[in-house]
Amino acid sequence: MKVAFYTLGCKVNQYETNGMIQEFLKRNYEIVLFHEKADVYIINTCTVTNMSDKKSRQMIRRTKELNSESIVVAVGCYAQVAREKLEEMKEIDLILGVNEKNKIVDYIEEYLQEKKKIEKISDVMKQIEYSDFGEVEYSEKTRAVIKIQDGCDRFCSYCIIPYARGRVRSRKPENVVKEIRKIAKKNIKEVVLTGIHLASYGKDFKEEYHLIDLLEEINQIEGIERIRLGSLEPTLITEEFVKRLRKLEKICDHFHLSLQSGCDETLKRMNRKYSTEDFRIIVNRLRENYKEVALTTDIIVGFPGETEEEFKKTYEFLQDIHFYKMHVFKYSPREGTKAAIMEDQVDGNRKEIRSNKLIEMSNKNEKEDNEKYLGKKLFVLFEEKDGEYIKGHTTNYKVVKVKTEDIQIENEIKEVEIIGEDGLELIGCMKEEKE
């Protein structure tokens, strides 16, 4: 039987899709691309925003257009928190929660025997141990995403994810190290560590062991040349953490610090655990220790009660911090969260105006930052061809492309001189070409 996947949302979902694919391959199913005709379509859903919910439903409906006789599975975060809404969709044959991903093949085969709709959604709040896929294979050539943690106990007032993912659960360090050693043997040079709340890694262990301890172990794995961190809670970046991190030469100098607002009053309503002054200290700490550090962030505009004055404070704070890049989200109420029932909800037009202002700032920052690299030499891990170019990333996550001609440099790290720009991408020239 042919199985096709469509994955929405975060890198954690990408990793879990890889895990599910591996389970199907073990039992001799054939994996095909989503736009192809398949017997089973699996939508790995996301619920972080209203747009994610909408996109999940759209992709579910699209499956029957591809094959009206197919089996359709909705699995993951949206299925976990919106069971009733999915039950109304006639296209769906199986609704599976977050913890059911590991046994998805069993549920498919049960459905094939019984021909009855299956709904399996366990209580994530009762899950106390990390659920591991075991041996996950990678088709990637240059970069592998590794999930090391699940769940979140921060309960920010706008966020539904703790209810979709449950409490903090950390993967055993020996299993993480074992998987990355396998990856290194495949000549994959970069690993990206991801989780629902990466900074909480190790919090649930009986013995004291934290993210920095794991990073020190991974840094010693031969063959891995870059370690990239996913989104981080800013409060993780203590002096002690940076002191130890700075000694690890494989750590990429790109940090995604999830700020959400540059106004203290808004941060309090969001139930974030830091102030803007705390955040400023953290940013300065990283910039003092990493010369070419690139800082990116997430910002929510139009949070309930965000006045023009509060947005002005956010705008001015962001101007001052000068992030390399910002991912801007218009606040969308998530049923079941505190923010959804707060007074003073902001209308859509104001959200749109505020969003556009910050996106304009982000693009300007990125262009200005890129201009600083003209004439400089950077090391680039090349990943994929794009027309007459081949593209890759620097350690601080800038996109660089060089003309390929007949150069075979995929999955190689090369020194490149930056000679120009193309939009928000840098154009490079390799030393050998110049000579």
Side-chain angles (χ1 to χ4, degrees):
M1 294 184 71
K2 294 180 179 180
V3 182
F5 283 83
Y6 192 92
T7 306
L8 293 112
C10 64
K11 286 185 172 67
V12 170
N13 262 9
Q14 293 172 25
Y15 176 87
E16 290 171 347
T17 291
N18 269 342
M20 288 188 282
I21 286 172
Q22 196 57 39
E23 294 302 309
F24 278 101
L25 291 174
K26 284 178 188 174
R27 300 203 207 174
N28 299 316
Y29 287 79
E30 182 183 350
I31 305 300
V32 298
L33 297 174
F34 185 78
H35 64 266
E36 297 178 24
K37 187 174 181 179
D39 302 294
V40 182
Y41 290 98
I42 297 168
I43 314 300
N44 194 358
T45 64
C46 174
T47 191
V48 72
T49 64
N50 281 338
M51 191 56 69
S52 304
D53 293 354
K54 184 179 179 182
K55 183 72 171 174
S56 296
R57 293 192 297 269
Q58 284 175 343
M59 299 316 296
I60 289 164
R61 291 191 182 99
R62 190 178 163 198
T63 56
K64 291 300 185 183
E65 297 172 11
L66 294 166
N67 181 5
S68 60
E69 301 299 315
S70 63
I71 298 166
V72 179
V73 186
V75 63
C77 292
Y78 185 50
Q80 186 74 36
V81 299
R83 181 179 193 159
E84 295 82 4
K85 291 179 182 177
L86 290 178
E87 283 174 340
E88 297 171 2
M89 297 185 70
K90 63 182 184 298
E91 295 92 345
I92 300 175
D93 301 297
L94 294 90
I95 303 173
L96 305 176
V98 168
N99 288 336
E100 283 62 51
K101 292 181 180 181
N102 293 32
K103 294 182 179 179
I104 191 167
V105 186
D106 292 334
Y107 294 127
I108 292 288
E109 294 184 351
E110 181 184 333
Y111 177 83
L112 288 169
Q113 286 184 347
E114 304 291 333
K115 298 295 182 183
K116 289 181 181 178
K117 189 168 185 173
I118 291 176
E119 294 182 18
K120 298 280 185 181
I121 300 176
S122 57
D123 186 349
V124 287
M125 293 301 179
K126 293 180 179 177
Q127 181 84 11
I128 59 173
E129 290 188 2
Y130 181 90
S131 183
D132 213 327
F133 273 104
E135 301 292 327
V136 176
E137 293 293 330
Y138 291 89
S139 58
E140 294 90 341
K141 294 179 180 178
T142 58
R143 179 184 295 120
V145 175
I146 313 297
K147 179 186 168 190
I148 67 167
Q149 179 274 338
D150 209 335
C152 179
D153 59 5
R154 309 301 276 185
F155 291 95
C156 299
S157 61
Y158 54 82
C159 188
I160 195 68
I161 297 305
Y163 305 97
R165 285 283 178 170
R167 66 177 70 184
V168 170
R169 307 180 301 284
S170 304
R171 191 176 180 191
K172 291 179 181 177
E174 57 268 31
N175 290 347
V176 177
V177 170
K178 181 182 177 184
E179 182 171 351
I180 294 176
R181 284 200 176 116
K182 277 189 67 179
I183 288 166
K185 288 178 182 175
K186 290 178 176 290
N187 199 31
I188 295 173
K189 292 184 168 58
E190 181 178 309
V191 291
V192 183
L193 303 187
T194 190
I196 298 301
H197 194 262
L198 208 56
S200 292
Y201 180 83
K203 180 182 175 182
D204 53 321
F205 291 151
K206 290 179 182 177
E207 295 182 7
E208 190 168 325
Y209 189 94
H210 303 290
L211 179 62
I212 189 63
D213 300 301
L214 179 64
L215 293 174
E216 287 171 344
E217 285 198 57
I218 296 170
N219 195 70
Q220 296 175 36
I221 297 175
E222 192 173 337
I224 297 299
E225 297 190 37
R226 291 182 177 183
I227 304 166
R228 198 175 293 281
L229 296 172
S231 181
L232 295 173
E233 174 80 12
T235 53
L236 173 73
I237 314 295
T238 62
E239 280 191 33
E240 177 61 22
F241 179 84
V242 175
K243 182 181 176 183
R244 291 171 66 179
L245 193 74
R246 195 69 187 89
K247 296 176 183 176
L248 309 181
E249 73 282 358
K250 296 179 182 179
I251 296 291
C252 289
D253 48 354
H254 164 234
F255 299 93
H256 187 83
L257 306 176
S258 196
L259 172 61
Q260 306 301 2
S261 174
C263 170
D264 287 329
E265 294 88 344
T266 312
L267 287 172
K268 283 179 184 177
R269 291 199 304 279
M270 288 178 165
N271 196 32
R272 301 295 283 175
K273 312 295 184 185
Y274 50 82
S275 67
T276 52
E277 185 54 34
D278 295 332
F279 196 91
R280 192 188 302 277
I281 291 167
I282 289 162
V283 165
N284 290 339
R285 187 174 290 148
L286 287 170
R287 285 177 170 159
E288 286 166 7
N289 281 275
Y290 292 92
K291 183 183 175 184
E292 300 291 346
V293 69
L295 300 177
T296 55
T297 196
D298 297 322
I299 298 292
I300 296 173
V301 296
F303 187 76
E306 185 186 62
T307 62
E308 290 299 330
E309 182 59 31
E310 287 187 1
F311 176 71
K312 183 182 176 186
K313 288 180 181 179
T314 288
Y315 189 89
E316 290 174 351
F317 183 76
L318 295 174
Q319 275 188 316
D320 191 32
I321 295 295
H322 199 92
F323 287 100
Y324 165 58
K325 194 173 188 176
M326 300 185 290
H327 301 283
V328 183
F329 300 90
K330 296 185 282 275
Y331 169 75
S332 60
R334 313 305 294 128
E335 188 179 338
T337 63
K338 288 185 178 180
I341 55 173
M342 284 181 177
E343 296 180 354
D344 301 321
Q345 297 283 330
V346 179
D347 71 72
N349 286 338
R350 287 184 184 176
K351 291 179 191 176
E352 187 71 24
I353 291 167
R354 293 172 187 178
S355 173
N356 289 340
K357 283 183 178 180
L358 295 190
I359 291 169
E360 185 182 345
M361 184 196 296
S362 178
N363 290 340
K364 182 172 176 283
N365 288 356
E366 192 172 353
K367 184 168 178 53
E368 286 177 357
D369 202 65
N370 283 346
E371 286 171 355
K372 295 189 301 187
Y373 290 91
L374 292 174
K376 289 189 177 181
K377 292 178 180 177
L378 304 174
F379 284 96
V380 179
L381 172 56
F382 286 100
E383 298 154 35
E384 59 183 1
K385 288 188 177 180
D386 180 17
E388 61 179 340
Y389 291 97
I390 183 166
K391 289 184 178 181
H393 285 85
T394 62
T395 55
N396 57 0
Y397 215 55
K398 298 187 186 302
V399 179
V400 178
K401 60 185 185 181
V402 301
K403 286 198 173 177
T404 59
E405 296 178 1
D406 294 321
I407 306 168
Q408 298 297 318
I409 52 172
E410 289 99 329
N411 198 32
E412 291 187 28
I413 296 175
K414 295 283 188 180
E415 188 176 31
V416 173
E417 183 177 336
I418 305 304
I419 58 172
E421 300 170 83
D422 182 10
L424 295 175
E425 297 177 340
L426 295 170
I427 301 173
C429 177
M430 284 190 293
K431 194 176 179 182
E432 301 95 276
E433 289 180 301
K434 290 193 77 179
E435 291 171 355

